[in-house]
Amino acid sequence: MLYLDSRSTQVTGAVTQNTIGMPSPSINAALSTDPTTGTVTGTVTTTSSRQFVLAGWVKTSHGRVQTQVAQKIDFSNLQQFVSPQALPETFIQDIQQSTAISSTTKVDGGRGSGETTVRMSWPLEMDLTVNIDQFGGFSQIGKVKQAYNRVDSNDDFSSLVSNSGEWADTFPTRQGQSGAQRFFFSDSEGRCFSRALSAAGGVLTSIVDGQGCGDDD
């Protein structure tokens, strides 16, 4: 971090607290193999959780400014497998993943005193099925659902952003293709924007604006 002060020839400061450590993910594989067919089934789970505090101060031309950042990060990934070892086969991989970050910044002194909180999350779900016949030809079915969510707040302002989508596809045909996505924003000053899109068979089928904004949601 670098602090520039146009009114001072030299800026001094110090880090007073730093609990940032190394990540320590946990991986748990619960897989089994059928002794007759060789098919592998089971789950692999990965989790990681971290939290830290970073604090310090700087002496500026407009006084001493103290800043503290406290953050917590949670991650999890669960994958389920069915993996045959001989043709014809149906391979299955299902994924559920979650990432969440919560961060609070406190500033004391100077012109920017106050507390700001940011919460973000990235949920993800994916289902994949691949069918392979005895000649090596294959078809595939895929489904994905994911989102990005963020909430910002401080002493007198807050805002929300959400961008989510859900898609499905089939190969080699478009028969099962579909998609839907929605973007939403609102804040405490009354601003709001919303748009939702839908598609099927590779063609845009609908656009909806304003859902969730105003009194008619």
Side-chain angles (χ1 to χ4, degrees):
M1 181 181 292
L2 177 65
Y3 186 90
L4 300 177
D5 190 340
S6 61
R7 297 183 179 181
S8 296
T9 58
Q10 184 179 18
V11 176
T12 59
V15 175
T16 57
Q17 187 177 11
N18 183 357
T19 63
I20 298 176
M22 296 296 294
S24 55
S26 172
I27 301 175
N28 181 24
L31 301 172
S32 62
T33 302
D34 188 297
T36 303
T37 64
T39 299
V40 179
T41 60
T43 62
V44 176
T45 304
T46 303
T47 58
S48 181
S49 182
R50 302 177 66 190
Q51 56 183 348
F52 66 85
V53 175
L54 181 62
W57 61 270
V58 290
K59 185 178 180 181
T60 74
S61 60
H62 50 273
R64 180 184 174 107
V65 179
Q66 298 184 84
T67 303
Q68 181 191 79
V69 178
Q71 190 171 101
K72 187 174 189 296
I73 304 173
D74 292 304
F75 171 84
S76 67
N77 179 287
L78 170 63
Q79 301 197 35
Q80 298 178 303
F81 293 93
V82 176
S83 180
Q85 303 301 303
L87 298 178
E89 69 175 48
T90 297
F91 172 84
I92 298 174
Q93 182 178 7
D94 296 337
I95 302 172
Q96 293 186 11
Q97 180 172 296
S98 174
T99 306
I101 299 177
S102 177
S103 181
T104 299
T105 302
K106 298 179 181 179
V107 178
D108 184 16
R111 294 186 293 268
S113 296
E115 180 174 314
T116 301
T117 299
V118 180
R119 297 192 304 273
M120 296 178 287
S121 64
W122 296 263
L124 169 67
E125 295 181 19
M126 179 179 293
D127 299 331
L128 179 65
T129 301
V130 179
N131 298 297
I132 306 176
D133 62 31
Q134 61 268 34
F135 305 107
F138 75 97
S139 63
Q140 178 175 297
I141 301 172
K143 296 180 180 180
V144 178
K145 182 188 296 185
Q146 65 180 140
Y148 165 69
N149 304 301
R150 175 170 177 152
V151 176
D152 290 72
S153 60
N154 56 35
D155 297 332
D156 54 7
F157 179 80
S158 63
S159 65
L160 166 68
V161 174
S162 176
N163 191 358
S164 61
E166 186 173 354
W167 304 269
D169 199 7
T170 55
F171 179 86
T173 71
R174 289 185 176 181
Q175 184 176 357
Q177 187 276 333
S178 65
Q181 184 165 0
R182 185 192 181 201
F183 179 88
F184 180 84
F185 166 83
S186 68
D187 65 23
S188 57
E189 296 181 351
R191 290 172 291 210
C192 186
F193 176 82
S194 172
R195 172 164 288 181
L197 307 176
S198 298
V203 177
L204 181 66
T205 56
S206 70
I207 301 175
V208 178
D209 289 332
Q211 187 177 22
C213 295
D215 299 328
D216 299 329
D217 55 342

